[in-house]
Amino acid sequence: MTTTANSTGRAPEAGRSEPVLSVGDLTITFPASRGGRGGSQDGGLNVLDALSLDVHDGEFVAVLGPSGCGKSTLLRALGGLLDPRAQVEGTIAVPSDASGRRATAWMPQRDGLLPWRRAMANAMVGAIAAGVPRDRAYPRAQQLFEEFGLAGFERAWPHELSGGMRQRLALLRTCLAERPVLLLDEPFGGLDPVTRRRMNAWLATVHLTEQAAAADAVARDASTTGSGVVLVTHDIDEAMTLADRIVVLSDRPGRLLYEARARQGGEERYDRGSLLSALDC
Amino acid sequence: MTTTANSTGRAPEAGRSEPVLSVGDLTITFPASRGGRGGSQDGGLNVLDALSLDVHDGEFVAVLGPSGCGKSTLLRALGGLLDPRAQVEGTIAVPSDASGRRATAWMPQRDGLLPWRRAMANAMVGAIAAGVPRDRAYPRAQQLFEEFGLAGFERAWPHELSGGMRQRLALLRTCLAERPVLLLDEPFGGLDPVTRRRMNAWLATVHLTEQAAAADAVARDASTTGSGVVLVTHDIDEAMTLADRIVVLSDRPGRLLYEARARQGGEERYDRGSLLSALDC
Amino acid sequence: MIGATHRTQRVPGSRLRAALIGTATVAVLVAAWEAAVRIGNLPPFVLPRPSQVVATAVEQAPLLGPHVATTATEAVLGLAMGTMLGWLLAVLTSAFPTSGQISHPVVLLSQTIPTVVLAPLMILWAGYGLTPKVTLVALTVFFPVLVAATAAIRDVDAEYSDTVAGLGGGKAHQMWLVRLPASVPGALAGLRIAATYAVGAAVVSEYLAGESGIGVFIQRSRKAYAVDQIFVGIALIAILSALMVAAIVALRRVATPWQTNLVST
Amino acid sequence: MIGATHRTQRVPGSRLRAALIGTATVAVLVAAWEAAVRIGNLPPFVLPRPSQVVATAVEQAPLLGPHVATTATEAVLGLAMGTMLGWLLAVLTSAFPTSGQISHPVVLLSQTIPTVVLAPLMILWAGYGLTPKVTLVALTVFFPVLVAATAAIRDVDAEYSDTVAGLGGGKAHQMWLVRLPASVPGALAGLRIAATYAVGAAVVSEYLAGESGIGVFIQRSRKAYAVDQIFVGIALIAILSALMVAAIVALRRVATPWQTNLVST
Amino acid sequence: SSTDTDTKDEAALDSATNAAQPLTPVTVVLDWTPNTNHSGLYLALANGWYEDAGLDVTVIEPGETSGLQLLAAGQADFAFSVAEGLLPARAAGADVVSVATVIEHNTSSLLSLADEGITRPRDLEGKNYGSYGSDLETAIISSLVECDGGDPAKVDHVPLVSDDFRIGLTQDQFDTAWVFDAWDTLRLSEVDGMDVNTIAFRDWFDCIPDWYTPLLATSGAEIESSPETVGAFVQVTAHGYAAAMEDPTVAADALIAAAPELDAALVTASADWLADKYATSPQAWGQQDGATWDRFSQWLTDNDMLDGDPSVDGAWTNEFLPAKQ
Ligand SMILES: Nc1ncnc2c1ncn2[C@@H]1O[C@H](COP(=O)(O)OP(=O)(O)OP(=O)(O)O)[C@@H](O)[C@H]1O
Ligand SMILES: Nc1ncnc2c1ncn2[C@@H]1O[C@H](COP(=O)(O)OP(=O)(O)OP(=O)(O)O)[C@@H](O)[C@H]1O
Ligand SMILES: [Mg+2]
Ligand SMILES: [Mg+2]
């Protein structure tokens, strides 16, 4: 059951242009763990099942689905970070930059802060890894520490930060990489509602503009395509507010269960009812 | 501003009996980190400010508050797990069992699964640490693996589990400890809405009964008090559904901003409006 | 655009590869040695050619068996004893810091007193048999295991001990559930160092008062100016050491099944 | 019910305490030694009394300065060189497994060839000066650093390298941002082992060809059958080693500021 | 060698008849790895002569450990040692006694390559002497050079790296070194065919003292408690050396059988060379001379190498040897 709704102004119609990022018939199976996983999973665990998904230029795609269905695995596959033991079938195509590297920036579900770097140094990891010059990244980082409510914690060690602060720092780090395609794995999971809405708004407005600029910059060098965001979340409201398209995966093995495009103009961007019923399956 | 609403049948009126767990005028300050935290936080970070909180027998208290206000720090203080460098003022009283140990079971915000133990062995850590006999804990663990949707993953390593699966496993482990007082730090943070509600319901019904029984068992040995739950969450609906009392902390340093008891009988257990406005402060 | 069409990808047979590269390296080294001696025209008493050494080894083969057996026995027993000792001490001192502060100077002394000084005392106490040699090997071995295991225990995330403590676990539980398993990779790194030293330590202990063993063989060969025999002895030490290290690496796979990133070394 | 009223609690002065306990242990050991010799009535030729040793040390004090300086120089230089070497090799081989597979046999050989065999070749190549001794110390030191750092790098959570790779970081970034810092605690554990061995290695290298140094002092004393002087030499080795270890422990506090759980050892 | 087999059979018979009487365990510590200095011991062992005398002999190779320490500590009954070790040990309070000298005179010499032209002590001027670093060496070399009219200050002492003198001499690490003729000199000249010169100490006893190296020592306590065992052991050993002097080939075979790692050519040459050096006659093996002990002890004292009184008279005895003086 695949439902398609209208698209927003930014996101082009499906099939109209080459997708920025594309997954075709992706099936991922994890082998039995060493010493056996035991129970029904022996002989391998099928996580994603013939999943196809395109992200077009400027599009913001939210991925929803039950816990353990393969959302993080999908994001890892897009980021080129899959466990090498995983068996992968199907096609994955992601944009690359001038130097031939993936044009993606991935934010792991468990923040991935480096224990041996202070908060600011952890933020700069994004810039360093992506090759963003320090004199551009550092002032921006300072400003984002302010905006993200982390000011004063520049020199704190990760273990001295609260769970939500860690997550904000991880998002900050990801944004400093200035990559055209963002792969965000539950970036707002540990935040209180107020902070969450604030961060949502920030991502929607400020960042998407900058990201498109980054994509343009990359595109000028290479002959690559534009920008995009893939956001994994469990928050339906967040998905409906932010995303141009919502994708719901089924229980493991994750298959495409539901897909909807945001309605242009109107008050209700999505049909909440059908979305909820897809999630309740 | 402290608001008090009606109490449910289970939770006794405030002041009517000795509290199970009690915090008086608790102020916690973290010293400047090694090499200085820099910025405004130099000279120490005041996290909790003169916080007082009683939990009575059988009571389920939800703690809400902005990210970084000190919720996890409060739970650590109750569990006796505070960073030894923290400066603590005020009183903390928690129940102890027959052998003089704290009668609490703490679930950390970041699951705390041991990488060198498979899923089932990690679950059993709760029973082992709390001294619950294996022949009682193991069948229960098997049953809970089923109920928590983890069946088939008994022999998986923690890094082979999804974020939400890890969190469910951590909760499972905490419950196997069979302690009268539960200290849960965002136990349902990484779960999709469906799984989340299912886990909520499980905690509300099945577990609370068993936990009261555990408290009775402990009480029979020693002359200690009953059971209780302190739940840190960012989900307002979850708090309203589960809790007998909701406590909202202010921005750092965390002070008591709002307190409400669930109304007995009626449809709306809490006044959503005043709760939301407290959170929006 | 990075694109890929996947059909079940698998990790290559990296263990076989490692073994092949290792063998090739040794072969190249030996060839270089042979060439160096021939080209440099070094007299055989400075550095014999590997071909000579092999010839001598073949010739002496019947003699070597008992020597090798003696040394291997000492090394294996000493390694086992020393590892146990070092690991236990690491776990103990991490649980009771005072015991560490007390044992620290003794441990340091045990590592700094030269064997030549220790040996007469050791013979005084343990006689001439296997005991003093196994003790000397154990003394060499226990230290790297102790230090590396202690470091591993210390570096383990406080999160894990807190989790156990937060469930009501006492010192013993933290030890058993967290410190002990957390110390395994470190102890194995120490053991990897120790295994390399064990055979050498056994050989040195044989210099002190031996009747059999590779050390005795080398010592007799040295005094008899039989340089090629000395190199046979060295080759035996290297081979035995390599076997010990291989055993430890294999042990690591078994002892830390949760670690998937077990590459090389 | 566990209750507590808190007023600012602080960590006790555990470093002072550790130093006191350590000193006390050494004092007890020395007293036990004195008592054992007196009660066991051992000839000083077998084991001299500590009081005798102290008397000899005082008497010989003017002689000792240059010897100690030589040995300390060799040990410190060798330790620095060996550590650099071991650490670099660890980082390198973790990034390029093939380089590890190639260097592995060479490294093993370098650790198993007895010094007595290596020394003449070393002198052929480097002469009598400081170089061969520093080289021998470095050769002893680099191995524990290599192994412990390699283990630490290998055991670092894949999560961290993934994070850097997921942001576009290449091999070099993963090395610089993750592997190198992650190897620091391990390298320090190796260094802790190495520091204990460094002085001893310098002393052994002086046995081989020295004109000055604690090793020369001990060797001369042995040839002169002056057992009390030998023990003066041993005491010097122990003291120098203890100083080296103390320096490494201090270095650890500086080099790993993110670790708060820096207890004992 | 049919006589060899005969004696072995006899020994076997003897020990079978003596089976009821348990053998007395005796531990002997060597001063080095097995070599021709120990020929008598190994020959006696091979022939079972110790068993015949009621002794069960265990031989220990001490490596770096001094046999005298083991004697003093009661861990050994006999030790091969040297006079320059025994006297300081006594001065330090160890009751160790020499019961026989293995070789009648010191067979040390200074070895050099013939090209260097070092034929007498004063030729050492301007040369490098490869030194073990002991005071005794410095004193002996100085005495030799000075006595021969040279300037000891002009001899350069460099450390010995390897005990393989071939490396040191040919690789220009040093020009000359202190060696033992019966082993090192023979190795280089006879076995390796190198062209070498020696300055034998025995040719310069006017300048330096003679001393006993190696010798066979036991402890005063052993002599006190079981003089019969000491007597039996020394007598059988003397018998062994006497036999070695009479038939060096048999002695060499016994040694090679016990330590097959040794170079047969070297052992044979050494056994031959030593046959008439152990003593003036097979019957006289082991005899020590009070005057030699006194002169050496005095020389050590004069050169500050003896700290205390070794009571020289108690340092040695010929009492247990077969032919008493
Ligand atoms: N490295 C791995 N090895 C084996 N199995 C794995 C591995 N990584 C993930 N899995 C399994 O794959 C399945 C999907 O995991 P994934 O992390 O993608 O879920 P998810 O959709 O992100 O869930 P959540 O919302 O709980 O984070 C899970 O059952 C998990 O156990
Ligand atoms: N060990 C520590 N050392 C120094 N500062 C700390 C330490 N632990 C926590 N803090 C600081 O205390 C404050 C409160 O942290 P805490 O984890 O209690 O917040 P929280 O309310 O749980 O937030 P969240 O909802 O984001 O988890 C934070 O500013 C954090 O930086
Ligand atoms: Mg996930
Ligand atoms: Mg928290």
Side-chain angles (χ1 to χ4, degrees):
Chain A
M1 175 188 61
T2 305
T3 318
T4 309
N6 299 336
S7 70
T8 62
R10 284 198 70 200
E13 302 288 310
R16 232 184 48 187
S17 71
E18 269 290 290
V20 173
L21 188 150
S22 141
V23 167
D25 265 334
L26 186 65
T27 297
I28 296 181
T29 307
F30 286 107
S33 79
R34 273 214 279 167
R37 189 179 278 111
S40 57
Q41 259 62 43
D42 246 347
L45 181 73
N46 186 206
V47 173
L48 289 177
D49 185 15
L51 183 73
S52 295
L53 178 71
D54 285 352
V55 178
H56 293 268
D57 187 16
E59 204 175 17
F60 193 128
V61 176
V63 177
L64 281 87
S67 169
C69 72
K71 302 181 296 297
S72 297
T73 305
L74 172 64
L75 243 55
R76 281 187 163 269
L78 294 176
L81 299 160
L82 219 47
D83 187 328
R85 294 171 311 158
Q87 293 161 32
V88 183
E89 289 183 59
T91 58
I92 301 171
V94 296
S96 55
D97 65 13
S99 57
R101 288 181 308 173
R102 276 168 199 268
T104 53
W106 173 72
M107 174 178 163
Q109 192 167 1
R110 283 168 75 85
D111 60 53
L113 297 179
L114 306 178
W116 46 84
R117 297 195 139 229
R118 294 173 190 269
M120 176 56 85
N122 254 301
M124 293 298 289
V125 163
I128 298 168
V132 176
R134 189 186 157 77
D135 50 5
R136 183 163 85 232
Y138 190 74
R140 179 129 191 266
Q142 283 180 308
Q143 184 204 330
L144 288 180
F145 262 76
E146 202 72 52
E147 284 185 42
F148 282 22
L150 293 172
F153 289 89
E154 288 83 358
R155 290 182 57 75
W157 297 107
H159 74 260
E160 295 172 335
L161 298 177
S162 82
M165 292 164 83
R166 293 182 67 122
Q167 219 153 2
R168 280 176 273 163
L169 182 56
L171 178 63
L172 203 165
R173 176 192 64 203
T174 314
C175 295
L176 284 183
E178 299 187 359
R179 312 297 280 170
V181 178
L182 291 183
L183 308 170
L184 306 176
D185 202 346
E186 300 190 36
F188 309 118
L191 297 179
D192 61 286
V194 179
T195 313
R196 187 164 195 147
R197 293 301 157 228
R198 188 143 40 87
M199 297 299 297
N200 283 350
W202 178 86
L203 185 62
T205 60
V206 182
H207 186 68
L208 283 186
T209 351
E210 289 188 25
Q211 193 194 0
D216 287 350
V218 169
R220 246 173 283 124
D221 303 336
S223 57
T224 40
T225 33
S227 67
V229 178
V230 182
L231 169 82
V232 171
T233 180
H234 287 310
D235 186 329
I236 301 166
D237 294 324
E238 183 171 283
M240 292 200 299
T241 320
L242 290 175
D244 303 314
R245 188 144 54 103
I246 292 179
V247 163
V248 178
L249 299 187
S250 73
D251 243 329
R252 186 180 51 245
R255 279 168 289 101
L256 196 66
L257 198 62
Y258 175 90
E259 194 175 5
R261 255 163 225 290
R263 279 193 282 263
Q264 235 174 328
E267 266 295 274
E268 269 262 299
R269 285 163 48 89
Y270 292 91
D271 177 8
R272 191 183 194 99
S274 67
L275 184 58
L276 280 178
S277 80
L279 281 166
D280 269 344
C281 270
Chain B
M1 175 188 63
T2 306
T3 319
T4 309
N6 299 338
S7 69
T8 62
R10 283 196 73 201
E13 303 287 312
R16 232 183 47 186
S17 71
E18 270 290 289
V20 173
L21 188 150
S22 143
V23 168
D25 266 335
L26 187 65
T27 297
I28 296 181
T29 307
F30 286 106
S33 79
R34 274 214 280 168
R37 187 180 281 109
S40 57
Q41 259 62 42
D42 247 346
L45 181 72
N46 186 205
V47 173
L48 289 178
D49 186 15
L51 183 74
S52 294
L53 178 71
D54 286 352
V55 178
H56 293 268
D57 186 17
E59 206 175 14
F60 193 128
V61 176
V63 178
L64 281 87
S67 171
C69 73
K71 302 181 295 298
S72 298
T73 306
L74 171 65
L75 241 54
R76 281 187 163 271
L78 294 176
L81 299 160
L82 218 47
D83 188 328
R85 293 171 312 157
Q87 291 161 32
V88 183
E89 289 183 57
T91 57
I92 300 172
V94 296
S96 55
D97 65 12
S99 56
R101 290 181 308 173
R102 277 169 198 268
T104 55
W106 174 73
M107 174 178 164
Q109 193 168 359
R110 282 169 76 84
D111 60 54
L113 296 179
L114 306 178
W116 46 84
R117 297 195 140 228
R118 296 175 189 268
M120 175 56 85
N122 254 300
M124 292 299 289
V125 163
I128 298 168
V132 176
R134 187 185 159 79
D135 51 4
R136 183 163 85 232
Y138 190 74
R140 180 130 189 264
Q142 283 180 307
Q143 185 204 329
L144 287 180
F145 262 75
E146 201 73 52
E147 285 184 40
F148 283 22
L150 295 171
F153 289 88
E154 289 82 358
R155 290 182 57 75
W157 297 107
H159 75 261
E160 295 172 335
L161 299 178
S162 82
M165 290 163 85
R166 293 182 68 122
Q167 221 153 0
R168 280 176 273 164
L169 183 55
L171 178 64
L172 202 165
R173 176 193 63 203
T174 314
C175 296
L176 283 183
E178 300 188 359
R179 311 298 280 170
V181 178
L182 292 184
L183 308 170
L184 307 176
D185 202 346
E186 301 190 35
F188 308 119
L191 298 179
D192 63 286
V194 180
T195 314
R196 186 163 195 147
R197 294 300 157 228
R198 189 146 37 89
M199 296 300 296
N200 284 350
W202 178 85
L203 185 61
T205 60
V206 182
H207 186 68
L208 284 185
T209 351
E210 288 187 26
Q211 194 195 0
D216 287 350
V218 169
R220 244 173 283 125
D221 304 336
S223 57
T224 40
T225 32
S227 67
V229 177
V230 182
L231 169 83
V232 171
T233 182
H234 287 309
D235 187 328
I236 301 166
D237 294 325
E238 183 170 284
M240 292 201 299
T241 321
L242 290 175
D244 302 314
R245 188 145 54 103
I246 293 180
V247 164
V248 178
L249 299 187
S250 73
D251 244 329
R252 192 179 46 246
R255 278 169 290 101
L256 195 67
L257 199 64
Y258 174 89
E259 192 173 7
R261 250 159 231 292
R263 277 192 284 265
Q264 231 174 329
E267 267 293 274
E268 269 261 299
R269 285 164 48 91
Y270 292 92
D271 176 9
R272 191 183 194 100
S274 67
L275 184 58
L276 280 176
S277 79
L279 281 166
D280 268 342
C281 269
Chain C
M1 180 66 87
I2 296 174
T5 306
H6 297 271
R7 299 273 129 212
T8 40
Q9 69 186 28
R10 284 199 168 277
V11 193
S14 56
R15 255 186 280 181
L16 180 68
R17 196 183 120 90
L20 284 179
I21 294 183
T23 313
T25 311
V26 172
V28 168
L29 278 181
V30 170
W33 169 13
E34 180 92 30
V37 177
R38 281 176 191 272
I39 293 168
N41 213 3
L42 285 174
F45 54 77
V46 173
L47 190 65
R49 279 184 285 118
S51 48
Q52 258 173 295
V53 174
V54 170
T56 308
V58 170
E59 192 181 293
Q60 301 266 331
L63 255 178
L64 297 173
H67 286 311
V68 170
T70 305
T71 304
T73 309
E74 292 159 2
V76 169
L77 287 181
L79 191 63
M81 269 186 46
T83 304
M84 277 298 136
L85 212 79
W87 194 20
L88 282 182
L89 200 59
V91 175
L92 201 79
T93 53
S94 80
F96 308 102
T98 307
S99 73
Q101 287 153 1
I102 290 174
S103 62
H104 197 212
V106 186
V107 167
L108 192 68
L109 271 178
S110 78
Q111 296 304 304
T112 51
I113 298 181
T115 319
V116 283
V117 176
L118 224 49
L121 300 176
M122 199 80 90
I123 291 175
L124 273 184
W125 161 71
Y128 298 106
L130 211 59
T131 319
K133 287 151 208 166
V134 172
T135 309
L136 278 174
V137 175
L139 215 56
T140 308
V141 158
F142 102 99
F143 184 67
V145 175
L146 167 65
V147 173
T150 303
I153 293 176
R154 191 194 53 232
D155 295 346
V156 75
D157 235 310
E159 183 187 351
Y160 300 130
S161 331
D162 281 356
T163 300
V164 171
L167 290 162
K171 277 243 168 196
H173 288 117
Q174 290 181 46
M175 168 100 77
W176 182 249
L177 296 170
V178 179
R179 295 220 167 88
L180 213 76
S183 73
V184 169
L188 284 168
L191 191 53
R192 166 84 175 67
I193 299 172
T196 313
Y197 291 155
V199 178
V203 167
V204 169
S205 80
E206 287 160 0
Y207 290 169
L208 304 171
E211 285 150 57
S212 162
I214 300 176
V216 171
F217 177 78
I218 290 184
Q219 210 58 348
R220 287 181 178 173
S221 304
R222 268 179 70 203
K223 304 285 179 170
Y225 292 90
V227 181
D228 44 357
Q229 285 184 191
I230 298 179
F231 277 85
V232 171
I234 294 171
L236 287 176
I237 297 176
I239 292 169
L240 272 191
S241 297
L243 288 178
M244 302 278 262
V245 170
I248 301 305
V249 171
L251 179 65
R252 198 177 63 211
R253 294 181 174 277
V254 180
T256 61
W258 66 90
Q259 295 189 321
T260 48
N261 44 345
L262 285 172
V263 223
S264 65
T265 326
Chain D
M1 179 68 88
I2 295 173
T5 306
H6 297 270
R7 299 273 128 208
T8 38
Q9 70 187 28
R10 284 198 168 280
V11 193
S14 56
R15 255 186 279 181
L16 180 69
R17 197 182 120 89
L20 284 179
I21 295 183
T23 314
T25 311
V26 172
V28 168
L29 278 181
V30 171
W33 169 11
E34 180 92 29
V37 177
R38 281 176 190 272
I39 293 167
N41 212 5
L42 285 174
F45 185 62
V46 175
L47 188 65
R49 279 183 286 120
S51 48
Q52 261 173 295
V53 174
V54 170
T56 309
V58 170
E59 194 183 292
Q60 302 265 334
L63 253 177
L64 296 174
H67 286 310
V68 171
T70 306
T71 304
T73 310
E74 292 159 4
V76 169
L77 286 181
L79 191 63
M81 268 185 48
T83 305
M84 278 299 136
L85 212 80
W87 195 19
L88 282 183
L89 199 59
V91 175
L92 201 80
T93 53
S94 78
F96 308 101
T98 307
S99 74
Q101 286 154 0
I102 290 174
S103 62
H104 197 213
V106 186
V107 167
L108 191 70
L109 270 178
S110 79
Q111 297 304 303
T112 51
I113 298 182
T115 318
V116 283
V117 176
L118 222 51
L121 299 175
M122 197 84 88
I123 302 278
L124 276 184
W125 161 70
Y128 287 107
L130 212 57
T131 320
K133 286 151 210 165
V134 172
T135 310
L136 278 175
V137 175
L139 214 57
T140 308
V141 159
F142 102 98
F143 184 66
V145 175
L146 168 66
V147 173
T150 304
I153 293 175
R154 190 195 53 232
D155 295 347
V156 75
D157 234 310
E159 184 187 350
Y160 301 131
S161 332
D162 281 354
T163 299
V164 171
L167 291 161
K171 276 242 170 199
H173 289 117
Q174 290 180 48
M175 168 102 75
W176 181 248
L177 296 170
V178 180
R179 294 220 168 87
L180 211 77
S183 73
V184 170
L188 284 168
L191 192 52
R192 167 82 176 69
I193 299 172
T196 312
Y197 292 154
V199 178
V203 168
V204 168
S205 79
E206 287 161 0
Y207 288 170
L208 304 169
E211 281 150 37
S212 163
I214 300 176
V216 172
F217 177 77
I218 291 184
Q219 211 57 348
R220 287 187 186 159
S221 305
R222 274 181 66 209
K223 300 281 177 181
Y225 300 89
V227 182
D228 45 355
Q229 288 190 33
I230 297 181
F231 276 85
V232 171
I234 294 169
L236 288 176
I237 298 176
I239 292 169
L240 272 190
S241 298
L243 288 178
M244 302 277 263
V245 170
I248 301 304
V249 171
L251 179 66
R252 199 178 61 211
R253 291 178 175 278
V254 179
T256 61
W258 67 90
Q259 294 189 322
T260 49
N261 44 345
L262 284 172
V263 223
S264 67
T265 323
Chain E
S1 51
S2 61
T3 49
D4 194 28
T5 1
D6 287 348
T7 40
K8 261 184 193 154
D9 288 344
E10 270 173 44
L13 258 173
D14 272 15
S15 56
T17 47
N18 293 348
Q21 276 182 345
L23 299 176
T24 311
V26 167
T27 306
V28 193
V29 184
L30 304 186
D31 53 344
W32 225 39
T33 51
N35 63 74
T36 43
N37 283 349
H38 313 124
S39 291
L41 174 75
Y42 280 107
L43 190 53
L45 275 172
N47 288 328
W49 295 336
Y50 290 111
E51 281 98 330
D52 297 349
L55 302 176
D56 176 16
V57 174
T58 309
V59 179
I60 302 293
E61 285 172 47
E64 308 283 348
T65 317
S66 162
L68 294 175
Q69 280 183 312
L70 298 175
L71 279 186
Q75 284 289 317
D77 303 303
F78 296 94
F80 283 81
S81 185
V82 291
E84 71 262 38
L86 188 113
L87 290 173
R90 287 181 61 83
D95 187 11
V96 284
V97 180
S98 168
V99 289
T101 180
V102 174
I103 307 174
E104 191 177 8
H105 296 289
N106 192 330
T107 57
S108 303
S109 70
L110 296 180
L111 179 73
S112 58
L113 294 181
D115 309 340
E116 299 289 342
I118 303 173
T119 56
R120 53 186 305 141
R122 65 166 176 249
D123 295 341
L124 288 178
E125 275 191 2
K127 301 288 186 187
N128 288 326
Y129 168 72
S131 166
Y132 292 99
S134 76
D135 295 340
L136 180 69
E137 286 176 279
T138 318
I140 290 283
I141 300 297
S142 300
S143 298
L144 278 174
V145 173
E146 193 165 8
C147 181
D148 192 28
D151 180 1
K154 290 187 180 157
V155 183
D156 225 0
H157 290 243
V158 300
L160 266 181
V161 181
S162 163
D163 47 8
D164 190 331
F165 299 102
R166 296 173 304 186
I167 298 180
L169 290 173
T170 59
Q171 307 297 311
D172 292 327
Q173 289 172 359
F174 49 80
D175 302 318
T176 184
W178 180 328
V179 301
F180 293 95
D181 278 337
W183 197 254
D184 309 301
T185 307
L186 286 176
R187 171 75 213 196
L188 270 65
S189 59
E190 303 289 310
V191 181
D192 292 319
M194 295 169 75
D195 199 0
V196 294
N197 281 336
T198 59
I199 303 171
F201 285 13
R202 56 189 172 278
D203 297 336
W204 298 87
F205 283 156
D206 296 340
C207 300
I208 53 166
D210 186 13
W211 73 89
Y212 296 122
T213 172
L215 50 74
L216 184 63
T218 186
S219 64
E222 181 83 18
I223 292 177
E224 186 86 7
S225 64
S226 37
E228 331 74 52
T229 308
V230 177
F233 180 79
V234 174
Q235 301 236 351
V236 173
T237 307
H239 183 41
Y241 279 98
M245 291 173 74
E246 276 157 4
D247 191 348
T249 317
V250 179
D253 289 346
L255 178 58
I256 292 168
E261 296 83 359
L262 301 184
D263 187 318
L266 175 58
V267 171
T268 310
S270 178
D272 279 340
W273 190 85
L274 271 176
D276 60 355
K277 304 281 190 309
Y278 288 122
T280 37
S281 73
Q283 291 73 35
W285 181 84
Q287 293 292 337
Q288 306 160 74
D289 179 12
T292 303
W293 276 107
D294 289 341
R295 185 179 169 212
F296 183 57
S297 174
Q298 190 58 47
W299 192 82
L300 286 181
T301 309
D302 294 346
N303 285 279
D304 286 336
M305 275 176 281
L306 211 48
D307 204 8
D309 178 14
S311 48
V312 187
D313 292 344
W316 62 280
T317 175
N318 288 336
E319 177 188 344
F320 299 102
L321 291 166
K324 300 191 174 61
Q325 269 184 332

